[in-house]
């Protein structure tokens, strides 16, 4: 830790024993009128010594006259004042409505309080989060254990309603297909494999006159089928076609204009065989009923 710029009071309060006690939590009581105002407490000396701004977004709207009595008070002072009013009084109602310790006006004030690319710590919902302002938006560093092995997930967009958009290191949204694959399968499938198969399935659907977005399940099944095909030697339809009939010592092969035409069913069989499915299974499934290639893959994998 650097002591440069730290106040004399912070340095006096910051002791080894105090640092050890922080494993059990910190005492935090924000004021409702300013995003960087907190009741003085020895626990907060850590932020002053480290030179990191501690902010909160629990702000009372200046235009709300019903809460003018606590606008310049801290959380602890508001709780004390609330105990003197009715259970459904404005103070207790405000504390209940903002149980996540944040308000919309407070979030905007946090955005305004930070410089572009400035890093700070945000106190909200009894948690501390590392935040940074990027393109006038507050991004939170993702620390959820569920994303520990998801190297592409770095930030999430900060919102009051609890919704989250996962973002990469550059602050750009992560492709929903890739995010879903990371959540369900970890690093089993590469980004290139997922996106490449998604494009391939979209192209196949477009050739059939359909404008659809392949689902993650369809993409993963197609990748697995393709991988299986690389490890399985399947005869092509041409290799299993019957030999031409011969009469006597000579064979006459007649080529007609019709023989050059390939039916939609034949095209589908060729595509499925290329993915690694056995030709007999492909012919059986395709011959059953007219269907899309996605449905055919589903039937073959069933």
């Amino acid at each position: 830790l650097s002591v440069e710029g730290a106040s004399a009071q912070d340095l006096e309060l910051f002791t080894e024993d105090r640092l050890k006690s922080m494993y059990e939590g910190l005492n935090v009581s924000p004021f409702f009128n300013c995003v960087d105002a907190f009741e003085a407490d020895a626990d907060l000396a850590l932020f002053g010594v480290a030179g990191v701004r501690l902010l909160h977004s629990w702000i009372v709207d200046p235009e709300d006259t019903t809460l003018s009595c606590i606008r310049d008070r801290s959380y602890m002072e508001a709780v004390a004042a609330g105990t003197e009013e009715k259970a459904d009084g404005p103070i207790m109602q405000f504390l209940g409505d903002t149980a996540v310790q944040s308000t919309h006006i407070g979030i905007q004030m946090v955005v305004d309080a930070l410089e572009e690319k400035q890093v700070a710590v945000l106190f909200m919902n009894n948690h501390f989060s590392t935040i940074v302002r990027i393109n006038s938006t507050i991004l939170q560093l993702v620390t959820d254990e569920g994303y520990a092995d998801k190297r592409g997930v770095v930030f999430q967009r900060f919102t009051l309603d609890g919704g989250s958009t996962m973002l990469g290191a550059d602050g750009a949204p992560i492709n929903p297909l890739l995010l879903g694959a990371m959540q369900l399968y970890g690093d089993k499938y590469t980004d290139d494999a997922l996106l490449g198969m998604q494009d391939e399935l979209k192209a196949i659907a477009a050739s059939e006159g359909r404008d659809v977005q392949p689902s993650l399940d369809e993409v993963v099944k197609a990748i697995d089928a393709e991988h299986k095909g690389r490890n399985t030697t399947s005869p092509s339809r041409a290799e299993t076609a019957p030999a031409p009939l011969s009469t006597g010592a000579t064979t006459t092969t007649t080529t007609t204009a019709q023989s050059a035409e390939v039916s939609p069913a034949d095209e589908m069989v060729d595509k499925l065989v290329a993915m690694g499915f056995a030709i007999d299974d492909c012919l059986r499934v395709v011959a059953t009923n007219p269907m899309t290639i996605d449905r055919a893959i589903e039937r073959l994998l069933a």
Side-chain angles (χ1 to χ4, degrees), residues 144-194:
D144 191 305
E145 188 176 359
Y147 293 95
D149 61 343
K150 312 300 187 295
R151 290 171 293 179
V153 178
V154 179
F155 295 110
Q156 64 181 344
R157 187 172 290 116
F158 174 64
T159 60
L160 182 59
D161 59 11
S164 61
T165 300
M166 296 302 172
L167 311 169
D170 58 355
I174 297 177
N175 185 304
L177 179 78
L178 302 182
L179 181 60
M182 283 190 289
Q183 292 172 331
L184 294 175
Y185 306 107
D187 295 329
K188 180 178 180 180
Y189 303 97
T190 66
D191 291 356
D192 289 342
L194 290 163

Side-chain angles (χ1 to χ4, degrees), residues 287-300:
T288 303
N289 286 301
M291 63 182 71
T292 65
I293 192 166
D294 296 337
R295 177 59 179 161
I297 292 174
E298 184 178 339
R299 290 281 299 277
L300 287 166

Side-chain angles (χ1 to χ4, degrees), residues 59-71 90 94 105:
I59 300 296
V60 169
D61 190 338
E63 297 182 3
D64 189 345
T65 57
T66 63
L67 294 171
S68 57
C69 59
I70 64 167
R71 183 174 302 121
F94 168 75
I105 190 172

Side-chain angles (χ1 to χ4, degrees), residues 230-248:
R230 293 196 185 108
N231 299 314
T232 304
T233 303
S234 300
S236 67
R237 190 156 49 90
E239 292 172 334
T240 58
L245 297 176
S246 60
T247 56

Side-chain angles (χ1 to χ4, degrees), residues 7 17 24 50 57 65-66 78 82 104 106 119 152 155 176-177 180-181 203 209 239 281 302:
S7 69
D17 289 341
E24 302 174 1
S57 54
T65 57
T66 63
H104 288 290
V119 177
F155 295 110
L177 179 78
E239 292 172 334
D281 293 337

Side-chain angles (χ1 to χ4, degrees), residues 8 52 84 87 102 137 151 188 227-228 235 246 289-290 297:
V52 177
E84 300 175 1
S102 185
T137 301
R151 290 171 293 179
K188 180 178 180 180
H227 180 72
K228 177 183 176 182
S246 60
N289 286 301
I297 292 174

